[in-house]
Amino acid sequence: MVNVLKFYPKKCKGCLECEKACSNVHFKTFDGKEKSAIRITKTEKGYQMHVCDQRGLCLDMCPVGALTRGKNGAVLLNVKTCIGCQACVGFCPIGAMRKNDIRIEPFKCISCGACVRACPEHALELMEKSLDAIKQVVYHKLGA
Amino acid sequence: MVEGQITITDYQTGNTKHNWDLQKLKKGHKILTKYTYKKGEINRGYANRTLYVNLSTNTIKEKPVTNDMKKKFTGGRGFGLKLLWDEIQPTTRWDSEENELVITTGPLCGNTQYPGSGKSICLSISPSTNIICDCNVGGFFGSYLKFAGFDALEIQGKATKDVVLIVDDEAGEIRIETAPHEETNSHHLNEQLTHLYASEDSEKARQKISVISAGKGAEHSYWGCLNFSFWDIRRKVARMKQAGRGGLGTVFRDKKIKAIVAKVKHFDGISNHPADPKKLADVGIKLHREIRDLDRYQCNMRTVGTGHLVEIMDQYDLLPTENYRFGSFPKASKIYSPKFYEHFTKIIPDGCWHGCTMACSKTVDGFTIKTGPYKGENVTVDGPEYETIGAGSNMSLWDPEWILEFNFYCDTYGIDTISTGTAIAFYMEMYEYGILNKERCNGLELCFGNADAVLEFMHQLAQGNSSEFITIAGKGTRRVKDWLITNGWGDPALINEAGMESKGLEFSEYVTKESLAMQGGYGLTLKGPQHDEAWLIFMDMVNNAIPTFEDKAEALHYFPMWRTWFGLNGLCKLPWNDVEPINNAQTDEPSKVPEHVQNYVDIQNAMTGWNVDKNELILQSERCYNWQRSMNVWLGRGQRKDDWIPYRSMGPVTEMEYISRKERYDKKLHENLGIKKKDLEHKTVREKLELLYIYRREQYEKLTDAVYYRRGWTPNGIPTPQKMKALGFTDKKMLTILQKKIDSDEKAGLNAWGGTYKKGESPPTKTKKYWEHW
């Protein structure tokens, strides 16, 4: 099983407490924004969430095995093993593996739930999904 | 295995597992000398020190890298040239005591953010050519050497017994140890040494070791290659990349080096301490995204590696078959990339250095060997790359599994697939004509397509078979030509023109008959006929984008300089133009891939903190290119006669070749020589062959004139002191050597253009000693 973030846009009021909580997890700062793995943006259609969906395409990109699935099924990056090649950043199809100038190693959502707990509007939830239902691999079959 | 997301510990290859007696191996090692060093800080891509080892005297010392050295030689191959210049003599030959094997890195080597940044550049005096040969090779060694504190490693002298040289970053030591019990052949040796020197029994620890090795084939031939290992944590295999050309593995074994091991303590994404890590990451991510989005529609490198070229080359009549007699073959579809794709392991990061998402290093895992000493063993075969498949087609061998076996044995025996394949293809053609036969070939029926005979030949070679044929054949095409001619076994002209070597080095696997510019790309080179200086066939032949001699000369100036640049920096050429931005065709100069050139400007600046532009990159290369040519002059070569290429690379040598492409050649005779179609009908094939021969030889001479002039050389191909000074060289010794050579050429009448210019045609300049007016 794997925990994946679910977003209820109608409940969101754009306070960005989730981003602040997230940046605290990753960089020990409440700056949010570029230091947060979850990003909330306001569009014409309302609020949108941009975050890793834990499909794990990046797992097969890492040359040093720094990316693995944690106990909660989420894809985790071991910063000590990572050699900062950015292959996962470049290949993520939705741009959810992020890079901040603070350090060479990227960062991403680890389904820790800090944002869920920080949201005063209960607009976020960690959903349990079957791994087989979501996992994908980077694989381009040759020819037809 | 096609299932992705398999955890590293669970990944299986199906290879034969070995239980090496590491204790026994270790006990056999005796430390001959040990040198302790204190690692300095790597700053902006430079370790600022090089390592010198002498195996005759067991001396180890460090040499400083000066700012002047960086300014003149940049790094990588440039540093290699500088180190060789300081240590060898004009009389040095490949097996001389003072000959060196130099392994260099370059300021961008070890960078993890930009694909293709882990290359080592190896230099030595080559047994095939007796001039400097440089090879650009992947694997982890170069990066680890730098992270251990050295921009380059030079090895002089010869050991008396087999030794292993260890650059141990963890212990801060360089050691020379005897290594009596390890295997010599690479696939076992690399695995043994990786296990032996790893700090602990883990994949992570093994990934911090890189081994350079050769093999038994390297000992007994001039085709020796160097295998650079990179431990694959998923496959749990010491995979390897080859410094293939010119017999550097032969030099390695002649020095009695069994292996060189680099062990790195720790490294991360900024171990090079770049001036601007943010910029490096930004440019890298941009390229990763391009590869992600476009590779599958362009070269398909991530899927099949360079093997995607086979079908393209076959379709354009450029795939060498039967010793370059033809450029395509009805059976060729049997070795198109989809056939290898069936065997390749999928969904693994296949870069030969971390962060290379071009990932062209494909493997076949669990491959069962069918012949020779490793028969029945299940192994990982690294490759095959295009050139290896091309070597197969050149010998008229069309079975993918056979090519895999050939690939495996070439690698583990430490011999170059290109030289081996090209040379054997020549022997096969000679066999077909009866110039060679079973008796002369030590009982081998070395005819085109004889798969068993080729492998048997390789096994005999690796075993050190002392028969006349195996001994001479292993020295390559040039020596076999001499042998055949001396014995009077065939027409010397046929032998010389059909044997595909120049300067003593075998051609790589492209047919160049219809592209004059590419003939120059093979002939007007520093080390010999290798396509790493220029690949102009499409530009010239298909797109007709460089029609005049002047255009071709400009291309044969720019591209060799540009491609040299990768070797100065520890980079791979592939990410430059084997993936192109989506709008590349709309740029001013699509063949140069301007956006990617700017990437390289950006990453060199970001690493070094310099502020260079694209013209400065070319200038960096021009310095080294001219220096290498000048060193070849110093070694008694590097002039027009050395840039000769066999006619097989220019046109049809035999009547059969002419007839097979009759329409094309008749058309050329009509268009280029103005012979009326009616008159052509009355000429014999032999007559037409001769007309084409004279015309194409002449074209090549004219091209040579134009190229030498563009490069700032004399008509005999000598870099002029004026040019060298303009490039910033003030070394009196070198300038005097060049001036003396030019003066003696003047007396010998060699400072004259090689082409014959008729009315309406003119050489690049009519001014005598034009270089004196610069």
Side-chain angles (χ1 to χ4, degrees):
Chain A
M1 299 306 278
V2 53
N3 286 334
V4 184
L5 269 181
K6 187 167 166 60
F7 180 52
Y8 300 95
K10 283 183 184 162
K11 291 186 186 175
C12 179
K13 290 192 175 149
C15 68
L16 304 182
E17 286 301 319
C18 54
E19 290 192 6
K20 291 169 196 164
C22 184
S23 66
N24 188 40
V25 169
H26 289 287
F27 298 106
K28 298 215 170 6
T29 151
F30 289 97
D31 291 353
K33 295 179 186 168
E34 280 83 22
K35 290 172 191 160
S36 168
I38 179 172
R39 298 302 306 273
I40 303 293
T41 45
K42 196 175 180 181
T43 68
E44 281 174 9
K45 290 176 190 168
Y47 289 104
Q48 271 189 359
M49 175 185 71
H50 184 210
V51 76
C52 174
D53 54 16
Q54 314 296 350
R55 274 182 287 173
L57 286 124
C58 53
L59 288 166
D60 294 318
M61 294 300 301
C62 183
V64 290
L67 288 163
T68 51
R69 281 202 188 271
K71 278 181 190 157
N72 65 356
V75 176
L76 308 180
L77 177 88
N78 183 338
V79 179
K80 280 186 183 161
T81 308
C82 173
I83 42 84
C85 72
Q86 319 299 329
C88 52
V89 179
F91 270 68
C92 178
I94 58 168
M97 182 67 81
R98 302 188 197 280
K99 162 81 176 64
N100 190 281
D101 298 342
I102 287 179
R103 62 163 194 244
I104 197 77
E105 299 86 4
F107 69 104
K108 69 178 292 299
C109 170
I110 54 173
S111 295
C112 67
C115 53
V116 177
R117 291 188 291 277
C119 179
E121 310 298 333
H122 305 290
L124 289 162
E125 188 189 354
L126 272 176
M127 298 278 285
E128 216 172 55
K129 288 191 181 179
S130 147
L131 196 57
D132 288 335
I134 64 154
K135 86 170 183 189
Q136 282 183 14
V137 294
V138 183
Y139 181 50
H140 304 304
K141 205 168 180 185
L142 188 85
Chain B
M1 190 179 280
V2 291
E3 199 67 33
Q5 299 204 12
I6 297 167
T7 57
I8 287 161
T9 40
D10 294 339
Y11 199 92
Q12 300 284 337
T13 53
N15 287 357
T16 303
K17 289 195 171 78
H18 301 284
N19 285 318
W20 311 112
D21 186 349
L22 296 179
Q23 286 307 319
K24 187 189 160 201
L25 294 179
K26 206 169 188 175
K27 270 185 192 163
H29 283 221
K30 197 178 127 203
I31 297 176
L32 298 177
T33 192
K34 187 163 88 178
Y35 173 85
T36 314
Y37 73 100
K38 198 164 176 282
K39 190 165 81 169
E41 182 146 311
I42 297 159
N43 190 20
R44 299 186 169 190
Y46 290 97
N48 292 314
R49 274 188 277 184
T50 65
L51 180 63
Y52 170 91
V53 175
N54 191 313
L55 294 173
S56 299
T57 58
N58 284 329
T59 315
I60 300 175
K61 65 181 180 188
E62 295 169 57
K63 291 183 182 177
V65 169
T66 62
N67 282 335
D68 186 56
M69 192 166 155
K70 288 187 210 169
K71 203 174 156 193
K72 289 196 173 99
F73 296 99
T74 309
R77 178 161 143 201
F79 279 10
L81 293 171
K82 155 83 177 138
L83 295 170
L84 280 173
W85 172 247
D86 289 345
E87 295 288 347
I88 63 169
Q89 303 299 322
T91 48
T92 302
R93 293 296 172 257
W94 73 275
D95 54 353
S96 303
E97 187 85 11
E98 74 273 12
N99 186 23
E100 290 194 327
L101 177 68
V102 186
I103 294 151
T104 69
T105 63
L108 283 156
C109 180
N111 170 39
T112 56
Q113 287 94 54
Y114 199 82
S117 300
K119 295 289 203 125
S120 312
I121 294 82
C122 315
L123 300 94
S124 189
I125 301 288
S126 148
S128 303
T129 64
N130 271 315
I131 51 174
I132 296 163
C133 184
D134 56 275
C135 292
N136 182 320
V137 56
F140 294 168
F141 189 90
S143 306
Y144 288 0
L145 177 68
K146 199 207 280 178
F147 296 150
F150 303 102
D151 289 319
L153 162 66
E154 55 179 323
I155 305 170
Q156 200 170 34
K158 296 184 190 188
T160 47
K161 276 185 234 158
D162 274 354
V163 293
V164 175
L165 172 69
I166 301 117
V167 180
D168 189 341
D169 174 39
E170 201 174 81
E173 278 175 7
I174 317 295
R175 299 190 299 276
I176 303 171
E177 298 178 3
T178 58
H181 302 315
E182 282 86 351
E183 292 248 2
T184 303
N185 291 333
S186 279
H187 81 294
H188 282 174
L189 173 63
N190 288 355
E191 203 173 301
Q192 288 172 334
L193 292 178
T194 304
H195 281 277
L196 192 69
Y197 287 109
S199 303
E200 53 177 47
D201 184 17
S202 73
E203 297 309 316
K204 223 178 196 176
R206 285 188 275 277
Q207 204 177 25
K208 287 182 174 155
I209 305 278
S210 178
V211 182
I212 309 176
S213 59
K216 286 280 182 190
E219 285 174 21
H220 303 293
S221 75
Y222 283 1
W223 300 324
C225 71
L226 297 173
N227 287 305
F228 279 56
S229 84
F230 55 113
W231 186 264
D232 188 323
I233 53 173
R234 288 177 174 82
R235 295 178 175 93
K236 291 120 192 142
V237 167
R239 299 188 51 200
M240 46 203 189
K241 277 286 185 181
Q242 290 73 35
R245 308 309 323 269
L248 302 196
T250 304
V251 175
F252 187 86
R253 290 301 295 142
D254 184 60
K255 291 186 177 304
K256 291 260 188 320
I257 307 171
K258 202 169 215 175
I260 308 172
V261 180
K263 178 176 177 178
V264 73
K265 187 179 173 186
H266 166 82
F267 73 95
D268 54 37
I270 46 166
S271 288
N272 268 312
H273 293 108
D276 185 355
K278 177 184 173 331
K279 185 77 184 171
L280 275 174
D282 287 348
V283 182
I285 291 168
K286 183 173 75 128
L287 190 69
H288 287 317
R289 293 202 169 130
E290 241 173 76
I291 295 171
R292 176 193 71 187
D293 296 337
L294 303 173
D295 176 60
R296 77 191 93 153
Y297 307 112
Q298 295 181 2
C299 293
N300 216 11
M301 285 286 197
R302 288 180 54 75
T303 311
V304 290
T306 54
H308 75 277
L309 285 165
V310 178
E311 40 269 38
I312 302 171
M313 294 306 128
D314 185 44
Q315 279 150 20
Y316 280 94
D317 208 25
L318 301 168
L319 177 73
T321 63
E322 297 196 348
N323 193 32
Y324 303 84
R325 288 196 297 202
F326 316 112
S328 62
F329 211 75
K331 289 182 185 174
S333 62
K334 290 173 187 258
I335 55 166
Y336 281 6
S337 63
K339 302 292 178 190
F340 289 98
Y341 177 74
E342 290 168 16
H343 296 277
F344 286 150
T345 302
K346 288 124 189 144
I347 324 174
I348 294 249
D350 274 329
C352 69
W353 171 241
H354 302 314
C356 186
T357 45
M358 184 136 260
C360 70
S361 312
K362 299 298 151 199
T363 74
V364 177
D365 294 314
F367 180 77
T368 308
I369 297 298
K370 297 182 191 78
T371 70
Y374 304 113
K375 187 177 173 178
E377 199 177 307
N378 291 341
V379 299
T380 286
V381 185
D382 272 284
E385 298 195 41
Y386 166 73
E387 299 290 333
T388 307
I389 307 173
S393 74
N394 221 347
M395 296 182 278
S396 208
L397 287 159
W398 310 101
D399 173 9
E401 293 204 18
W402 183 88
I403 289 173
L404 288 171
E405 178 127 348
F406 170 74
N407 193 155
F408 166 78
Y409 270 116
C410 279
D411 289 355
T412 199
Y413 284 157
I415 54 175
D416 174 25
T417 57
I418 300 177
S419 288
T420 307
T422 297
I424 295 175
F426 169 61
Y427 309 157
M428 286 173 159
E429 189 183 350
M430 295 298 106
Y431 198 99
E432 185 176 297
Y433 302 151
I435 295 170
L436 282 174
N437 54 39
K438 197 171 170 180
E439 190 193 338
R440 290 171 188 166
C441 291
N442 198 34
L444 297 170
E445 285 183 272
L446 218 52
C447 53
F448 282 117
N450 192 343
D452 296 341
V454 174
L455 288 172
E456 181 54 30
F457 169 77
M458 287 163 60
H459 298 319
Q460 288 188 14
L461 183 82
Q463 283 155 17
N465 185 300
S466 59
S467 71
E468 191 183 13
F469 175 71
I470 303 288
T471 315
I472 292 172
K475 290 187 172 138
T477 307
R478 179 71 156 256
R479 275 76 181 182
V480 169
K481 279 182 176 178
D482 294 344
W483 182 57
L484 298 176
I485 293 168
T486 310
N487 279 302
W489 287 336
D491 172 12
L494 172 69
I495 293 167
N496 270 322
E497 303 289 18
M500 287 291 277
E501 57 79 25
S502 169
K503 302 179 176 66
L505 185 71
E506 281 82 3
F507 272 65
S508 66
E509 312 301 333
Y510 294 101
V511 171
T512 56
K513 287 174 188 170
E514 303 313 313
S515 168
L516 177 61
M518 191 59 213
Q519 292 159 28
Y522 269 132
L524 311 175
T525 48
L526 295 173
K527 68 169 167 276
Q530 168 71 358
H531 56 278
D532 64 344
E533 284 203 13
W535 202 92
L536 304 171
I537 300 183
F538 277 5
M539 219 175 148
D540 188 31
M541 183 186 101
V542 183
N543 302 328
N544 200 24
I546 40 174
T548 67
F549 286 116
E550 214 178 343
D551 296 334
K552 292 185 208 302
E554 185 55 38
L556 282 168
H557 170 73
Y558 178 83
F559 289 102
M561 297 313 147
W562 172 242
R563 286 167 173 252
T564 293
W565 187 82
F566 297 97
L568 305 182
N569 289 277
L571 292 173
C572 173
K573 164 261 154 197
L574 299 185
W576 159 56
N577 71 344
D578 281 277
V579 64
E580 292 176 351
I582 200 152
N583 62 349
N584 190 54
Q586 281 83 50
T587 58
D588 294 345
E589 296 177 293
S591 60
K592 292 184 180 174
V593 199
E595 187 181 322
H596 285 183
V597 171
Q598 188 56 43
N599 283 356
Y600 289 109
V601 171
D602 290 343
I603 63 171
Q604 196 185 50
N605 284 334
M607 179 61 78
T608 59
W610 300 339
N611 183 23
V612 298
D613 60 12
K614 62 177 182 179
N615 298 322
E616 177 67 25
L617 303 192
I618 296 298
L619 202 55
Q620 290 168 5
S621 292
E622 229 185 323
R623 291 189 197 109
C624 295
Y625 196 92
N626 280 278
W627 189 265
Q628 189 166 341
R629 179 77 174 191
S630 301
M631 281 185 73
N632 286 346
V633 172
W634 177 57
L635 290 160
R637 307 280 296 282
Q639 43 206 302
R640 188 180 276 259
K641 68 179 168 57
D642 301 303
D643 290 346
W644 172 93
I645 51 173
Y647 187 65
R648 177 59 58 74
S649 62
M650 297 180 178
V653 171
T654 58
E655 294 189 23
M656 184 220 272
E657 284 165 271
Y658 192 101
I659 294 163
S660 78
R661 308 284 187 275
K662 179 177 177 294
E663 213 169 286
R664 175 195 298 162
Y665 295 130
D666 279 357
K667 195 176 159 209
K668 295 278 176 190
L669 285 176
H670 171 66
E671 283 176 358
N672 299 138
L673 291 167
I675 302 172
K676 285 179 189 158
K677 283 178 185 167
K678 237 188 200 172
D679 295 342
L680 278 173
E681 283 167 25
H682 299 296
K683 292 197 186 298
T684 64
V685 175
R686 180 55 48 194
E687 284 169 336
K688 290 195 277 190
L689 271 177
E690 273 164 24
L691 284 169
L692 202 62
Y693 179 90
I694 293 164
Y695 173 74
R696 290 196 168 179
R697 278 274 176 219
E698 181 59 28
Q699 291 288 100
Y700 184 73
E701 291 305 321
K702 285 177 180 165
L703 175 74
T704 306
D705 290 346
V707 172
Y708 286 175
Y709 183 71
R710 175 62 188 90
R711 288 182 183 170
W713 299 351
T714 70
N716 196 29
I718 312 298
T720 60
Q722 289 79 1
K723 174 81 188 175
M724 296 299 275
K725 279 182 202 163
L727 291 171
F729 288 116
T730 50
D731 188 307
K732 270 189 192 155
K733 184 177 150 196
M734 181 61 94
L735 296 177
T736 310
I737 289 162
L738 295 173
Q739 191 57 53
K740 274 189 179 167
K741 173 65 185 156
I742 292 168
D743 291 346
S744 77
D745 280 355
E746 186 67 27
K747 277 181 201 155
L750 294 172
N751 288 341
W753 295 118
T756 313
Y757 295 89
K758 292 178 207 141
K759 225 181 176 182
E761 296 174 340
S762 56
T765 176
K766 284 176 182 165
T767 312
K768 289 207 165 173
K769 293 192 178 181
Y770 49 87
W771 55 92
E772 290 184 356
H773 305 286
W774 285 341

